[in-house]
Amino acid sequence: MPDRPTVLFVCVHNAGRSQMAAGFLTALAGDDIDVRSAGSMPGDQINPVAVEAMAEVGIDIAGEQPKRLTEDSIRTADVVITMGCGDECPYFPGKRYEDWVLDDPAGQDLETVRPIRDEIKRRVETLIASLGR
């Protein structure tokens, strides 16, 4: 793995889980890890409840926009973490893949999204440790 690994978070709409994960990884790892996120069918905007849940812990993802998953984004990543996109996610040999099974925050209230957010943070912290950061 290169000196500065690239981690790509992927979910269907790139509006909730993957954005929260990218926000946590950026905040916790700083410049040690290149962080990206994308969706197989990106939504029109970031889930406002995900934005609110992240703001509660001091991380601003309000300026982010859902991005389309491309083969190039996977090809250039060292670690690809999928979150419920199933068969929509292309696979490239030689990459480190993890599938984080997490509830989808879409259409949920803040009380429901908070535990999802907290689980994402826990997994991001584990990921950082596994990358030696």
Side-chain angles (χ1 to χ4, degrees):
M1 198 160 295
D3 289 335
R4 181 180 157 149
T6 298
V7 174
L8 172 65
F9 293 103
V10 181
C11 65
V12 176
H13 300 296
N14 189 222
R17 294 165 290 188
S18 57
Q19 292 285 352
M20 289 191 287
F24 274 125
L25 187 55
T26 299
L28 297 172
D31 292 335
D32 288 346
I33 298 172
D34 186 21
V35 182
R36 299 182 188 154
S37 69
S40 53
M41 297 184 305
D44 295 330
Q45 65 179 15
I46 301 296
N47 178 338
V49 179
V51 171
E52 185 178 358
M54 293 299 285
E56 285 185 341
V57 295
I59 298 174
D60 182 6
I61 61 169
E64 299 297 327
Q65 288 295 316
K67 294 168 275 312
R68 178 162 302 283
L69 179 65
T70 65
E71 285 192 15
D72 189 54
S73 63
I74 294 176
R75 190 176 292 113
T76 59
D78 300 297
V79 180
V80 178
I81 298 177
T82 57
M83 302 177 180
C85 62
D87 294 337
E88 297 291 324
C89 295
Y91 178 84
F92 288 93
K95 304 288 178 195
R96 173 178 161 187
Y97 284 87
E98 292 184 23
D99 185 37
W100 292 0
V101 179
L102 297 159
D103 291 336
D104 188 349
Q108 304 295 331
D109 63 18
L110 187 57
E111 288 296 318
T112 305
V113 173
R114 283 182 182 126
I116 299 168
R117 173 202 64 202
D118 296 344
E119 177 62 15
I120 291 170
K121 180 181 182 190
R122 187 191 67 73
R123 292 181 189 211
V124 166
E125 289 169 339
T126 301
L127 173 67
I128 292 167
S130 76
L131 294 172
R133 305 295 166 182

